[in-house]
C-alpha cells in the first residue's frame, strides 16, 4: 500500500481543529473520508505534522496518508482535492513518502503566523482570519519583548493546562513582531511547540503592545513558570500554520 505526503491548506472556521472529535467535524475526518473513496471504502488514517485547534487555519500543513489505490501523486492530489468538497480544505500537493518518513518526527522546524487587525473599525473581509484589537499596538515594543524569549527554556508559563507534552522545554528559534499597515504580524518558528504556546505568547505580548506592561514583563513571566501570571490566550482565528521544514525537501506534485 503506497504511502503519500500531502500538502494541505484549510480554513479552520467552523471546524473542531485537525484531530477527530466527537463534537464536530475535523480536518482529519474530512481527509480520511475523502481518502476512503481511494481505499475500498475504508477511511485511511491521516497523520499531520502538527495538530491545530478549532478555528486555526493552515497554509502548509503536511499530512501522511496510505491508500490502496496506487496512483501517481498528481492524480491522488486531484482526486482528494475533489472529494474534500464542499469543505474549505485544499490538497495543494502530493508526493510519495519515503520509507521511514514521518510528518511529525521528520520535521526539523514548524512555522506559524499570527495576524492582528489593529484599527478601530472591525474586520469585514477578514472576519474569522484575524484578531481585532482596536487600540493602537506598539509593535516595536512587542518585538523587543519577544526577542528576550528566544532560545531553549522551560515554557510552562506559555503552555495550556491541558498540554500533554512530557516536557515544557522548547527551543524558540524565531518570534518576530512586524507591523504591516493596519495589521501586526507575529512570526514564530521552532522544531515543536507546546499546546497554545503561540497563542499564549501573543496574548502576553499584546499587554506590552498596549503599554500595560513593560518590555521586560514577558521574560519575567517565562522565568516564573506560572501560566496564571501571563496574558490571555489570544483567540484562535488569527493563527495560521504556515509551513513545515524537513531535512530532505519534499518534491510536491
Amino acid at each position: 500500500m503506497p504511502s503519500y505526503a500531502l500538502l494541505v491548506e484549510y480554513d479552520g472556521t467552523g471546524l473542531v481543529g485537525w484531530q477527530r472529535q466527537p463534537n464536530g467535524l475535523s480536518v482529519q475526518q474530512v481527509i480520511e473520508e475523502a481518502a476512503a473513496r481511494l481505499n475500498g471504502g475504508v477511511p485511511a488514517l491521516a497523520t499531520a505534522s502538527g495538530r491545530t485547534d478549532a478555528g486555526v487555519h493552515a497554509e502548509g500543513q503536511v499530512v501522511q496518508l496510505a491508500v490502496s489505490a496506487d496512483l501517481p501523486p498528481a492524480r491522488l492530489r486531484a482526486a482528494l482535492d475533489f472529494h474534500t468538497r464542499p469543505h474549505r480544505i485544499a490538497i495543494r500537493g502530493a508526493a510519495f513518502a519515503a520509507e521511514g518518513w514521518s510528518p511529525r518526527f521528520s520535521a526539523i522546524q514548524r512555522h506559524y503566523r499570527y495576524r492582528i487587525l489593529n484599527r478601530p473599525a472591525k474586520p469585514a473581509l477578514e472576519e474569522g482570519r484575524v484578531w481585532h484589537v482596536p487600540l493602537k499596538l506598539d509593535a516595536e515594543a512587542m518585538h523587543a519583548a519577544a526577542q528576550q524569549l528566544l532560545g531553549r527554556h522551560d515554557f510552562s508559563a506559555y503552555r495550556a493546562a491541558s498540554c500533554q507534552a512530557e516536557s515544557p522545554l522548547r527551543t524558540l528559534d524565531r518570534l518576530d513582531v512586524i507591523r504591516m499597515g493596519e495589521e501586526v504580524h507575529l512570526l514564530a518558528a521552532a522544531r515543536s511547540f507546546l499546546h497554545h504556546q503561540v497563542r499564549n505568547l501573543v496574548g502576553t505580548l499584546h499587554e506590552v503592545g498596549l503599554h500595560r506592561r513593560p518590555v521586560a514583563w514577558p521574560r519575567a513571566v517565562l522565568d516564573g513558570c506560572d501560566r496564571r501570571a501571563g496574558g490571555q490566550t489570544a483567540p484562535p482565528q488569527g493563527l495560521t500554520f504556515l509551513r513545515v521544514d524537513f531535512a530532505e525537501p519534499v518534491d510536491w506534485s
Side-chain angles (χ1 to χ4, degrees), residues 37-98:
R37 308 288 189 94
L38 310 174
N39 199 46
V42 179
L45 178 63
T47 303
S49 57
R51 297 174 181 175
T52 53
D53 291 329
V56 175
H57 316 293
E59 292 183 8
Q61 175 71 274
V62 178
V63 176
Q64 186 173 25
L65 184 74
V67 295
S68 57
D70 190 357
L71 297 174
R75 286 188 60 194
L76 178 92
R77 186 215 64 77
L80 289 175
D81 195 51
F82 177 81
H83 290 304
T84 54
R85 296 177 181 178
H87 306 289
R88 299 179 69 178
I89 299 172
I91 312 302
R92 295 177 51 199
F96 286 118

Short mmCIF file of all heavy atoms in Angstrom, two decimals, residues 37-98:
data_model
loop_
_atom_site.label_atom_id
_atom_site.label_comp_id
_atom_site.label_asym_id
_atom_site.label_seq_id
_atom_site.Cartn_x
_atom_site.Cartn_y
_atom_site.Cartn_z
N ARG A 37 -12.63 6.90 -0.58
CA ARG A 37 -13.01 6.67 -1.99
C ARG A 37 -11.88 5.99 -2.77
O ARG A 37 -12.12 5.39 -3.80
CB ARG A 37 -13.33 8.00 -2.66
CG ARG A 37 -14.34 8.88 -1.93
CD ARG A 37 -15.74 8.33 -2.01
NE ARG A 37 -16.72 9.27 -1.49
CZ ARG A 37 -17.39 10.14 -2.23
NH1 ARG A 37 -17.18 10.21 -3.54
NH2 ARG A 37 -18.28 10.96 -1.68
N LEU A 38 -10.66 6.11 -2.26
CA LEU A 38 -9.49 5.54 -2.93
C LEU A 38 -8.94 4.34 -2.16
O LEU A 38 -7.86 3.86 -2.47
CB LEU A 38 -8.40 6.61 -3.06
CG LEU A 38 -8.82 7.96 -3.64
CD1 LEU A 38 -7.68 8.95 -3.57
CD2 LEU A 38 -9.32 7.81 -5.06
N ASN A 39 -9.69 3.90 -1.16
CA ASN A 39 -9.20 2.86 -0.26
C ASN A 39 -10.27 1.79 -0.02
O ASN A 39 -10.41 1.28 1.10
CB ASN A 39 -8.77 3.50 1.07
CG ASN A 39 -7.83 2.62 1.87
OD1 ASN A 39 -6.88 2.06 1.32
ND2 ASN A 39 -8.09 2.50 3.16
N GLY A 40 -11.02 1.49 -1.06
CA GLY A 40 -12.02 0.44 -0.96
C GLY A 40 -13.15 0.75 0.01
O GLY A 40 -13.76 -0.16 0.58
N GLY A 41 -13.41 2.04 0.22
CA GLY A 41 -14.48 2.45 1.11
C GLY A 41 -14.09 2.54 2.57
O GLY A 41 -14.90 2.93 3.41
N VAL A 42 -12.86 2.18 2.88
CA VAL A 42 -12.39 2.21 4.27
C VAL A 42 -11.62 3.50 4.52
O VAL A 42 -10.66 3.80 3.79
CB VAL A 42 -11.47 1.00 4.57
CG1 VAL A 42 -10.98 1.06 6.00
CG2 VAL A 42 -12.20 -0.30 4.29
N PRO A 43 -11.99 4.30 5.54
CA PRO A 43 -11.23 5.52 5.83
C PRO A 43 -9.76 5.20 6.13
O PRO A 43 -9.47 4.25 6.85
CB PRO A 43 -11.93 6.10 7.06
CG PRO A 43 -13.32 5.56 6.99
CD PRO A 43 -13.18 4.18 6.40
N ALA A 44 -8.86 5.96 5.53
CA ALA A 44 -7.42 5.75 5.74
C ALA A 44 -6.94 6.73 6.81
O ALA A 44 -7.38 7.88 6.86
CB ALA A 44 -6.67 5.99 4.43
N LEU A 45 -6.05 6.28 7.67
CA LEU A 45 -5.54 7.12 8.75
C LEU A 45 -4.66 8.23 8.18
O LEU A 45 -3.71 7.98 7.44
CB LEU A 45 -4.74 6.28 9.74
CG LEU A 45 -4.10 7.07 10.90
CD1 LEU A 45 -5.16 7.72 11.78
CD2 LEU A 45 -3.20 6.16 11.72
N ALA A 46 -4.99 9.47 8.53
CA ALA A 46 -4.21 10.63 8.14
C ALA A 46 -3.48 11.17 9.36
O ALA A 46 -4.11 11.44 10.40
CB ALA A 46 -5.11 11.71 7.54
N THR A 47 -2.17 11.33 9.24
CA THR A 47 -1.34 11.83 10.34
C THR A 47 -0.74 13.17 9.93
O THR A 47 -0.16 13.28 8.85
CB THR A 47 -0.21 10.85 10.67
OG1 THR A 47 -0.77 9.57 10.98
CG2 THR A 47 0.61 11.33 11.86
N ALA A 48 -0.87 14.18 10.78
CA ALA A 48 -0.40 15.53 10.45
C ALA A 48 0.90 15.86 11.16
O ALA A 48 1.26 15.27 12.18
CB ALA A 48 -1.46 16.56 10.82
N SER A 49 1.59 16.86 10.63
CA SER A 49 2.85 17.30 11.23
C SER A 49 2.61 18.10 12.50
O SER A 49 3.52 18.26 13.32
CB SER A 49 3.65 18.14 10.23
OG SER A 49 2.87 19.24 9.79
N GLY A 50 1.40 18.60 12.68
CA GLY A 50 1.06 19.34 13.89
C GLY A 50 -0.43 19.48 14.02
O GLY A 50 -1.12 19.73 13.03
N ARG A 51 -0.95 19.30 15.22
CA ARG A 51 -2.38 19.45 15.44
C ARG A 51 -2.73 20.93 15.61
O ARG A 51 -2.03 21.65 16.32
CB ARG A 51 -2.82 18.68 16.69
CG ARG A 51 -2.60 17.18 16.58
CD ARG A 51 -2.91 16.51 17.91
NE ARG A 51 -2.68 15.06 17.85
CZ ARG A 51 -2.77 14.24 18.89
NH1 ARG A 51 -3.09 14.75 20.08
NH2 ARG A 51 -2.55 12.96 18.77
N THR A 52 -3.79 21.35 14.96
CA THR A 52 -4.27 22.72 15.12
C THR A 52 -5.61 22.70 15.85
O THR A 52 -6.39 21.77 15.70
CB THR A 52 -4.42 23.42 13.76
OG1 THR A 52 -5.23 22.62 12.88
CG2 THR A 52 -3.06 23.65 13.11
N ASP A 53 -5.86 23.74 16.64
CA ASP A 53 -7.09 23.83 17.41
C ASP A 53 -8.26 24.30 16.56
O ASP A 53 -8.08 24.76 15.42
CB ASP A 53 -6.90 24.82 18.57
CG ASP A 53 -5.94 24.32 19.63
OD1 ASP A 53 -5.86 23.10 19.83
OD2 ASP A 53 -5.26 25.16 20.25
N ALA A 54 -9.45 24.23 17.14
CA ALA A 54 -10.65 24.73 16.48
C ALA A 54 -10.45 26.19 16.10
O ALA A 54 -9.99 27.01 16.90
CB ALA A 54 -11.85 24.59 17.41
N GLY A 55 -10.78 26.53 14.85
CA GLY A 55 -10.68 27.90 14.38
C GLY A 55 -9.34 28.31 13.85
O GLY A 55 -9.19 29.41 13.29
N VAL A 56 -8.32 27.48 13.99
CA VAL A 56 -6.97 27.78 13.49
C VAL A 56 -6.85 27.33 12.04
O VAL A 56 -7.39 26.29 11.65
CB VAL A 56 -5.89 27.10 14.37
CG1 VAL A 56 -4.50 27.31 13.79
CG2 VAL A 56 -5.96 27.64 15.80
N HIS A 57 -6.13 28.10 11.24
CA HIS A 57 -6.01 27.85 9.80
C HIS A 57 -4.65 27.25 9.46
O HIS A 57 -3.75 27.20 10.29
CB HIS A 57 -6.20 29.16 9.04
CG HIS A 57 -7.34 29.99 9.55
ND1 HIS A 57 -8.65 29.59 9.43
CD2 HIS A 57 -7.36 31.18 10.21
CE1 HIS A 57 -9.44 30.50 9.98
NE2 HIS A 57 -8.68 31.47 10.47
N ALA A 58 -4.51 26.81 8.21
CA ALA A 58 -3.23 26.29 7.73
C ALA A 58 -3.03 26.63 6.27
O ALA A 58 -3.98 26.55 5.47
CB ALA A 58 -3.15 24.78 7.92
N GLU A 59 -1.82 27.04 5.94
CA GLU A 59 -1.43 27.23 4.54
C GLU A 59 -0.57 26.07 4.06
O GLU A 59 -0.57 25.76 2.87
CB GLU A 59 -0.66 28.55 4.36
CG GLU A 59 -1.51 29.78 4.57
CD GLU A 59 -0.73 31.06 4.33
OE1 GLU A 59 0.43 30.99 3.84
OE2 GLU A 59 -1.28 32.15 4.61
N GLY A 60 0.16 25.44 4.97
CA GLY A 60 1.10 24.40 4.57
C GLY A 60 1.18 23.26 5.56
O GLY A 60 2.29 22.84 5.93
N GLN A 61 0.02 22.77 6.00
CA GLN A 61 0.01 21.57 6.84
C GLN A 61 0.52 20.38 6.01
O GLN A 61 0.23 20.29 4.80
CB GLN A 61 -1.40 21.29 7.32
CG GLN A 61 -1.59 20.01 8.11
CD GLN A 61 -0.99 20.06 9.50
OE1 GLN A 61 0.20 19.78 9.63
NE2 GLN A 61 -1.78 20.41 10.50
N VAL A 62 1.26 19.49 6.63
CA VAL A 62 1.78 18.30 5.93
C VAL A 62 1.19 17.06 6.58
O VAL A 62 1.21 16.93 7.81
CB VAL A 62 3.33 18.26 5.94
CG1 VAL A 62 3.83 17.00 5.26
CG2 VAL A 62 3.88 19.50 5.25
N VAL A 63 0.66 16.17 5.73
CA VAL A 63 -0.09 15.01 6.19
C VAL A 63 0.44 13.76 5.52
O VAL A 63 0.80 13.78 4.34
CB VAL A 63 -1.59 15.19 5.85
CG1 VAL A 63 -2.40 13.95 6.21
CG2 VAL A 63 -2.14 16.43 6.55
N GLN A 64 0.48 12.65 6.25
CA GLN A 64 0.84 11.35 5.69
C GLN A 64 -0.41 10.49 5.59
O GLN A 64 -1.24 10.46 6.49
CB GLN A 64 1.88 10.65 6.55
CG GLN A 64 2.41 9.35 5.94
CD GLN A 64 3.56 8.77 6.74
OE1 GLN A 64 3.68 9.03 7.93
NE2 GLN A 64 4.41 7.99 6.10
N LEU A 65 -0.53 9.78 4.46
CA LEU A 65 -1.72 9.01 4.18
C LEU A 65 -1.34 7.79 3.34
O LEU A 65 -0.57 7.91 2.39
CB LEU A 65 -2.71 9.88 3.39
CG LEU A 65 -4.09 9.32 3.05
CD1 LEU A 65 -4.95 9.30 4.31
CD2 LEU A 65 -4.74 10.18 1.98
N ALA A 66 -1.85 6.63 3.71
CA ALA A 66 -1.63 5.40 2.92
C ALA A 66 -2.98 4.93 2.39
O ALA A 66 -3.95 4.79 3.16
CB ALA A 66 -0.99 4.32 3.77
N VAL A 67 -3.08 4.69 1.08
CA VAL A 67 -4.32 4.21 0.46
C VAL A 67 -3.98 3.05 -0.48
O VAL A 67 -2.85 2.93 -0.98
CB VAL A 67 -5.05 5.32 -0.32
CG1 VAL A 67 -5.53 6.40 0.62
CG2 VAL A 67 -4.16 5.92 -1.40
N SER A 68 -4.98 2.22 -0.73
CA SER A 68 -4.75 1.03 -1.56
C SER A 68 -4.63 1.37 -3.04
O SER A 68 -4.00 0.64 -3.80
CB SER A 68 -5.88 0.02 -1.35
OG SER A 68 -7.14 0.60 -1.63
N ALA A 69 -5.23 2.47 -3.47
CA ALA A 69 -5.13 2.87 -4.87
C ALA A 69 -3.72 3.36 -5.16
O ALA A 69 -3.24 4.31 -4.54
CB ALA A 69 -6.13 3.97 -5.18
N ASP A 70 -3.04 2.70 -6.09
CA ASP A 70 -1.66 3.05 -6.44
C ASP A 70 -1.71 4.08 -7.57
O ASP A 70 -1.72 3.73 -8.75
CB ASP A 70 -0.89 1.80 -6.87
CG ASP A 70 0.60 2.06 -6.99
OD1 ASP A 70 1.01 3.22 -6.81
OD2 ASP A 70 1.34 1.11 -7.28
N LEU A 71 -1.75 5.35 -7.20
CA LEU A 71 -1.89 6.44 -8.17
C LEU A 71 -0.65 7.32 -8.19
O LEU A 71 0.02 7.47 -7.16
CB LEU A 71 -3.09 7.32 -7.80
CG LEU A 71 -4.48 6.67 -7.80
CD1 LEU A 71 -5.50 7.65 -7.26
CD2 LEU A 71 -4.85 6.21 -9.20
N PRO A 72 -0.34 7.91 -9.33
CA PRO A 72 0.71 8.94 -9.33
C PRO A 72 0.29 10.07 -8.38
O PRO A 72 -0.90 10.37 -8.24
CB PRO A 72 0.74 9.42 -10.79
CG PRO A 72 0.09 8.34 -11.57
CD PRO A 72 -0.92 7.71 -10.67
N PRO A 73 1.25 10.71 -7.73
CA PRO A 73 0.90 11.75 -6.76
C PRO A 73 -0.02 12.85 -7.32
O PRO A 73 -0.93 13.30 -6.62
CB PRO A 73 2.26 12.32 -6.35
CG PRO A 73 3.19 11.16 -6.50
CD PRO A 73 2.70 10.43 -7.71
N ALA A 74 0.20 13.25 -8.55
CA ALA A 74 -0.63 14.32 -9.12
C ALA A 74 -2.09 13.88 -9.23
O ALA A 74 -3.01 14.67 -8.97
CB ALA A 74 -0.10 14.74 -10.49
N ARG A 75 -2.33 12.63 -9.60
CA ARG A 75 -3.71 12.13 -9.70
C ARG A 75 -4.33 11.97 -8.32
O ARG A 75 -5.51 12.25 -8.11
CB ARG A 75 -3.74 10.81 -10.46
CG ARG A 75 -3.53 10.94 -11.96
CD ARG A 75 -3.77 9.62 -12.66
NE ARG A 75 -5.13 9.13 -12.44
CZ ARG A 75 -5.52 7.88 -12.72
NH1 ARG A 75 -4.64 7.00 -13.21
NH2 ARG A 75 -6.77 7.51 -12.51
N LEU A 76 -3.54 11.50 -7.36
CA LEU A 76 -4.04 11.39 -5.99
C LEU A 76 -4.42 12.76 -5.46
O LEU A 76 -5.49 12.93 -4.84
CB LEU A 76 -2.99 10.75 -5.09
CG LEU A 76 -3.42 10.66 -3.63
CD1 LEU A 76 -4.09 9.32 -3.37
CD2 LEU A 76 -2.25 10.86 -2.69
N ARG A 77 -3.57 13.75 -5.69
CA ARG A 77 -3.86 15.11 -5.22
C ARG A 77 -5.18 15.60 -5.79
O ARG A 77 -6.04 16.13 -5.06
CB ARG A 77 -2.73 16.06 -5.63
CG ARG A 77 -2.88 17.48 -5.05
CD ARG A 77 -2.38 18.55 -6.00
NE ARG A 77 -3.14 18.60 -7.23
CZ ARG A 77 -4.35 19.15 -7.34
NH1 ARG A 77 -4.95 19.68 -6.29
NH2 ARG A 77 -4.97 19.16 -8.51
N ALA A 78 -5.38 15.43 -7.11
CA ALA A 78 -6.60 15.91 -7.75
C ALA A 78 -7.84 15.19 -7.21
O ALA A 78 -8.88 15.80 -6.99
CB ALA A 78 -6.48 15.73 -9.26
N ALA A 79 -7.71 13.87 -7.00
CA ALA A 79 -8.85 13.10 -6.51
C ALA A 79 -9.23 13.52 -5.10
O ALA A 79 -10.42 13.74 -4.79
CB ALA A 79 -8.54 11.60 -6.56
N LEU A 80 -8.25 13.66 -4.22
CA LEU A 80 -8.55 14.06 -2.86
C LEU A 80 -9.07 15.49 -2.80
O LEU A 80 -9.98 15.80 -2.02
CB LEU A 80 -7.30 13.93 -1.98
CG LEU A 80 -6.85 12.51 -1.64
CD1 LEU A 80 -5.53 12.55 -0.88
CD2 LEU A 80 -7.91 11.77 -0.84
N ASP A 81 -8.51 16.36 -3.62
CA ASP A 81 -8.96 17.75 -3.65
C ASP A 81 -10.44 17.82 -4.07
O ASP A 81 -11.21 18.62 -3.54
CB ASP A 81 -8.09 18.56 -4.60
CG ASP A 81 -8.27 20.06 -4.41
OD1 ASP A 81 -8.17 20.52 -3.27
OD2 ASP A 81 -8.50 20.77 -5.41
N PHE A 82 -10.83 16.95 -5.00
CA PHE A 82 -12.23 16.90 -5.43
C PHE A 82 -13.13 16.38 -4.32
O PHE A 82 -14.20 16.96 -4.05
CB PHE A 82 -12.36 16.01 -6.68
CG PHE A 82 -13.78 15.86 -7.15
CD1 PHE A 82 -14.38 16.84 -7.92
CD2 PHE A 82 -14.51 14.73 -6.81
CE1 PHE A 82 -15.70 16.71 -8.34
CE2 PHE A 82 -15.83 14.59 -7.22
CZ PHE A 82 -16.42 15.57 -8.00
N HIS A 83 -12.72 15.32 -3.65
CA HIS A 83 -13.58 14.67 -2.68
C HIS A 83 -13.65 15.38 -1.33
O HIS A 83 -14.48 15.03 -0.48
CB HIS A 83 -13.16 13.21 -2.48
CG HIS A 83 -13.44 12.34 -3.66
ND1 HIS A 83 -14.69 12.21 -4.20
CD2 HIS A 83 -12.61 11.56 -4.42
CE1 HIS A 83 -14.65 11.38 -5.24
NE2 HIS A 83 -13.40 10.99 -5.40
N THR A 84 -12.79 16.38 -1.11
CA THR A 84 -12.91 17.17 0.12
C THR A 84 -13.95 18.29 -0.03
O THR A 84 -14.25 18.98 0.96
CB THR A 84 -11.56 17.79 0.53
OG1 THR A 84 -11.04 18.55 -0.57
CG2 THR A 84 -10.57 16.73 0.96
N ARG A 85 -14.50 18.47 -1.21
CA ARG A 85 -15.56 19.47 -1.39
C ARG A 85 -16.80 19.04 -0.63
O ARG A 85 -17.05 17.84 -0.49
CB ARG A 85 -15.89 19.61 -2.88
CG ARG A 85 -14.74 20.15 -3.73
CD ARG A 85 -15.12 20.19 -5.19
NE ARG A 85 -14.00 20.68 -6.00
CZ ARG A 85 -14.02 20.78 -7.33
NH1 ARG A 85 -15.11 20.42 -7.99
NH2 ARG A 85 -12.98 21.23 -7.98
N PRO A 86 -17.59 19.99 -0.14
CA PRO A 86 -17.53 21.45 -0.28
C PRO A 86 -16.77 22.15 0.84
O PRO A 86 -16.87 23.36 1.00
CB PRO A 86 -19.02 21.82 -0.20
CG PRO A 86 -19.56 20.87 0.81
CD PRO A 86 -18.82 19.57 0.56
N HIS A 87 -16.01 21.40 1.62
CA HIS A 87 -15.30 21.98 2.75
C HIS A 87 -14.14 22.85 2.27
O HIS A 87 -13.56 22.60 1.21
CB HIS A 87 -14.80 20.88 3.68
CG HIS A 87 -15.89 19.95 4.10
ND1 HIS A 87 -16.89 20.32 4.98
CD2 HIS A 87 -16.16 18.66 3.75
CE1 HIS A 87 -17.72 19.31 5.15
NE2 HIS A 87 -17.30 18.29 4.43
N ARG A 88 -13.78 23.84 3.08
CA ARG A 88 -12.71 24.76 2.70
C ARG A 88 -11.36 24.15 3.08
O ARG A 88 -10.61 24.65 3.92
CB ARG A 88 -12.94 26.12 3.37
CG ARG A 88 -14.26 26.75 2.93
CD ARG A 88 -14.52 28.07 3.59
NE ARG A 88 -13.59 29.11 3.13
CZ ARG A 88 -13.64 30.36 3.53
NH1 ARG A 88 -14.55 30.74 4.42
NH2 ARG A 88 -12.77 31.25 3.07
N ILE A 89 -11.10 23.01 2.44
CA ILE A 89 -9.86 22.24 2.64
C ILE A 89 -9.32 21.93 1.27
O ILE A 89 -10.02 21.33 0.44
CB ILE A 89 -10.14 20.95 3.42
CG1 ILE A 89 -10.71 21.27 4.82
CG2 ILE A 89 -8.87 20.11 3.54
CD1 ILE A 89 -11.19 20.06 5.59
N ALA A 90 -8.10 22.34 0.99
CA ALA A 90 -7.50 22.14 -0.33
C ALA A 90 -6.26 21.27 -0.22
O ALA A 90 -5.44 21.47 0.68
CB ALA A 90 -7.14 23.49 -0.96
N ILE A 91 -6.13 20.32 -1.13
CA ILE A 91 -4.92 19.50 -1.21
C ILE A 91 -4.02 20.15 -2.25
O ILE A 91 -4.24 20.04 -3.46
CB ILE A 91 -5.26 18.04 -1.61
CG1 ILE A 91 -6.41 17.50 -0.75
CG2 ILE A 91 -4.01 17.17 -1.46
CD1 ILE A 91 -6.15 17.51 0.74
N ARG A 92 -3.02 20.88 -1.79
CA ARG A 92 -2.17 21.68 -2.67
C ARG A 92 -1.10 20.86 -3.38
O ARG A 92 -0.64 21.23 -4.47
CB ARG A 92 -1.48 22.79 -1.88
CG ARG A 92 -2.43 23.82 -1.29
CD ARG A 92 -1.66 24.82 -0.45
NE ARG A 92 -0.53 25.37 -1.19
CZ ARG A 92 0.51 25.98 -0.62
NH1 ARG A 92 0.57 26.08 0.71
NH2 ARG A 92 1.49 26.46 -1.35
N GLY A 93 -0.67 19.76 -2.76
CA GLY A 93 0.40 18.97 -3.36
C GLY A 93 0.40 17.57 -2.79
O GLY A 93 -0.20 17.29 -1.75
N ALA A 94 1.08 16.67 -3.50
CA ALA A 94 1.22 15.29 -3.04
C ALA A 94 2.56 14.75 -3.53
O ALA A 94 3.12 15.22 -4.52
CB ALA A 94 0.08 14.41 -3.55
N ALA A 95 3.07 13.78 -2.81
CA ALA A 95 4.34 13.12 -3.17
C ALA A 95 4.36 11.75 -2.52
O ALA A 95 3.66 11.51 -1.53
CB ALA A 95 5.53 13.95 -2.69
N PHE A 96 5.13 10.84 -3.09
CA PHE A 96 5.34 9.55 -2.43
C PHE A 96 6.18 9.79 -1.18
O PHE A 96 7.18 10.51 -1.22
CB PHE A 96 6.05 8.56 -3.36
CG PHE A 96 5.16 8.01 -4.45
CD1 PHE A 96 5.46 8.25 -5.78
CD2 PHE A 96 4.04 7.26 -4.14
CE1 PHE A 96 4.65 7.75 -6.79
CE2 PHE A 96 3.22 6.75 -5.14
CZ PHE A 96 3.52 6.99 -6.47
N ALA A 97 5.78 9.20 -0.07
CA ALA A 97 6.54 9.32 1.18
C ALA A 97 7.64 8.27 1.21
O ALA A 97 7.39 7.09 0.94
CB ALA A 97 5.61 9.16 2.37
N ALA A 98 8.84 8.69 1.53
CA ALA A 98 9.97 7.76 1.63
C ALA A 98 9.76 6.82 2.81
O ALA A 98 9.09 7.16 3.79
CB ALA A 98 11.27 8.53 1.78
#
